Every structure is written in structure tokens, then in C-alpha cells.
Amino acid sequence: DGERPLWLGSLKSNVGHTQAAAGVAGVIKMVMAMRHGVLPKTLHVDEASPHVDWSAGAVSLLTEQEPWPELGRPRRAAVSSFGLSGTNAHVVLEEAPVPVEGEAGAGVSLAVVPVVVSGRSAGVVGELAGRVRGVVGAGRLVDVGWSSVVSRSVFEHRAVVLAEDAAELDAGLGALAAGGVVASGVVSGVVSVGGGRSVFVFPGQGTQWVGMAVRLWAESAVFAESMARCEAALAGLVEWRLSDVLGDEAALGRVEVVQPVAFAVMVSLAELWRSLGVVPDAVVGHSQGE
């Protein structure tokens, strides 16, 4: 479309020759251009090359900054990186969808939030824990937990503080900052080099307690879906409902109740872990868990 030409620009005019980084630098430039809705001008262009037939097609040089208008479809750009040997690395970028305000984490209410602190050494973990304490209470606890994982690299020395509220998080971080102080809800360790294997252990009768899984059923969609499937499978085979006996001490004292309940909780926990990417390399069990 002559009125909407294919605009042509150059990263080299902005930052010079970047050798092996030219391709990724071009990608970065176009991502930023999409983000700001601007087509940045190409610098230092006195006149277009006479070796190109600019009258053929609808290609125009970006000699001036242009707005990148909304056209009812995602913005798209092609990035080419030409090598001296004749290689051409080419990628087409498409604008990411705009997230709905409040969409991420909307309505999330977790009883316990894990906050991860990691570093190259145990000392760094303690130092960072002290710095994280400074933001406790400044926002939602679930946002602090989310940011602790996605906003920075996770190193081999790690600690996790499990907290129900800001006070618990502050206390756990304080214990880490103090260096090796044992505290409830704080787990720390070092990741083994080369990675390890995951094993799911399914226990037998006697590991249950009154009220187990009640909060998790209410808070985890994956866990709730699995428990609902178990409840449906038991319907017609037993005289009680799975959702009614988890908090019933008398019912859980009966063998014919506690064993199906324990089975449902165990397999539903396994489903929850798998949904989070924790897939076992091996499965072992004791008694009924076997």
C-alpha cells in the first residue's frame, strides 16, 4: 500500500557495527519500538542509495521518526542480520498482546506464600534477605513471592520463607539475615551440581490429620479438580462424601474412611506437583502408599 509503505531502518546508524551482536541488537530495537509505538528514524542518511530502485514497491527509508499507528492488528517487524559471508539471519517479530489491567494474579489468595532468596553464597543469601525485608508490607504478599522468582536469576544457594502474612515473612527473612538461625517456615540449602532426581513418597495410614487438605482444596484449582474426580469415583461405593469427612475426626478414625481419603489426597497432591513442573523420576510408598 503506497500510503502505508514498508518502512526500512537500520540499527547500525544508531550504535555502529556490533559484529556478532547485530542481530539481537536489532531485535531489541524493534521490541522497544513496538513497546513505545514509534518508528525510530535512521540517522546520518544524506541520500538514498542510487543502487536501489525505490520506485518499485512501497518501501521507504525512515529518515524521520514516524508514529507506529494502531491498525486493529498486532504490529509486526522483520529483522535481518547480514553476514560478510552471505549469511542472512531473519526473524519476524509480532507485538505481544496487551495484558488486561490486574489480570496477572487477579483474585489470587494463597494461605501460604513462598518467597525465594538466593545467591552465590550463604552470606549473600543472608545479605539479600535483609534487603528484601525493606519491601515487606509495601505490596501484596503474593506479588512479593512472584517477584522473588521471576524478577532475578535463581542461584545455587537458596532459601525459601513460607509466610501467611507480612509479619511471618519479616520474621523469616530476619532469621536468614541473622545467619543460620533456625526459624519456623524457613528452608535453606544448596542445589547439587548437575541436578538431582525427584522421588514421590506415598505414606501409609497414620500420617493423616483432621482438616488435612481442606485449605488446599479451596485454594488450588488443580488439587480441587483431582479431589472432585476422586469424590465422583467413590460415589455409590461409600456412604460418605470426601468433602465432608476431611475435617471429621470421628470419620477419619475409621479404616474404611481414612484409607480412601488418604489415597485421594496423595494422588491429588501428585497432580498438583506435576502441574507445577515437578515430575517424579521414581515413586515409592509404604503400606497403602505402596
Side-chain angles (χ1 to χ4, degrees):
D1 186 341
E3 296 182 2
R4 290 205 304 253
L6 175 66
W7 290 106
L8 179 65
S10 169
L11 172 82
K12 191 179 292 186
S13 76
N14 301 112
V15 297
H17 186 41
T18 52
Q19 298 190 25
V24 70
V27 169
I28 292 171
K29 176 181 177 179
M30 295 318 302
V31 168
M32 296 302 293
M34 288 182 181
R35 178 174 295 175
H36 295 285
V38 171
L39 293 165
K41 68 177 181 180
T42 300
L43 307 181
H44 316 300
V45 177
D46 298 322
E47 60 178 318
S49 170
H51 302 292
V52 176
D53 182 4
W54 297 103
S55 63
V59 179
S60 297
L61 285 175
L62 272 166
T63 55
E64 297 295 333
Q65 179 174 298
E66 297 283 345
W68 198 337
E70 293 280 0
L71 299 175
R73 55 177 172 77
R75 296 182 174 104
R76 295 184 179 89
V79 179
S80 288
S81 179
F82 298 97
L84 184 64
S85 62
T87 57
N88 176 16
H90 186 79
V91 64
V92 178
L93 305 176
E94 181 175 284
E95 180 182 23
V98 178
V100 178
E101 183 68 26
E103 184 179 80
V108 173
S109 177
L110 301 176
V112 178
V113 174
V115 176
V116 179
V117 184
S118 71
R120 297 289 191 186
S121 68
V124 172
V125 172
E127 179 184 346
L128 184 59
R131 289 163 54 190
V132 175
R133 291 185 74 182
V135 302
V136 173
R140 296 190 311 163
L141 187 60
V142 68
D143 291 329
V144 177
W146 173 265
S147 299
S148 72
V149 176
V150 302
S151 65
R152 66 187 306 270
S153 300
V154 180
F155 298 105
E156 58 270 23
H157 288 264
R158 302 177 189 175
V160 179
V161 179
L162 302 172
E164 294 191 26
D165 51 39
E168 282 194 0
L169 177 57
D170 184 70
L173 291 171
L176 285 175
V181 177
V182 178
S184 175
V186 179
V187 181
S188 61
V190 182
V191 178
S192 59
V193 178
R197 302 179 67 200
S198 299
V199 179
F200 285 1
V201 182
F202 294 90
Q205 184 179 337
T207 55
Q208 75 280 354
W209 67 92
V210 179
M212 68 175 180
V214 171
R215 290 170 68 179
L216 194 56
W217 197 333
E219 295 162 4
S220 168
V222 174
F223 185 83
E225 182 181 350
S226 178
M227 290 291 282
R229 288 200 303 269
C230 291
E231 185 171 69
L234 291 170
L237 301 176
V238 296
E239 298 177 352
W240 42 268
R241 288 172 56 86
L242 188 57
S243 52
D244 294 335
V245 299
L246 291 176
D248 189 333
E249 184 174 5
L252 289 179
R254 293 157 47 193
V255 173
E256 74 275 15
V257 175
V258 70
Q259 293 209 354
V261 168
F263 169 83
V265 171
M266 287 189 287
V267 297
S268 298
L269 281 172
E271 283 294 302
L272 175 58
W273 281 112
R274 287 167 62 92
S275 74
L276 298 172
V278 181
V279 180
D281 295 291
V283 177
V284 296
H286 166 255
S287 187
Q288 181 201 1
E290 186 179 8

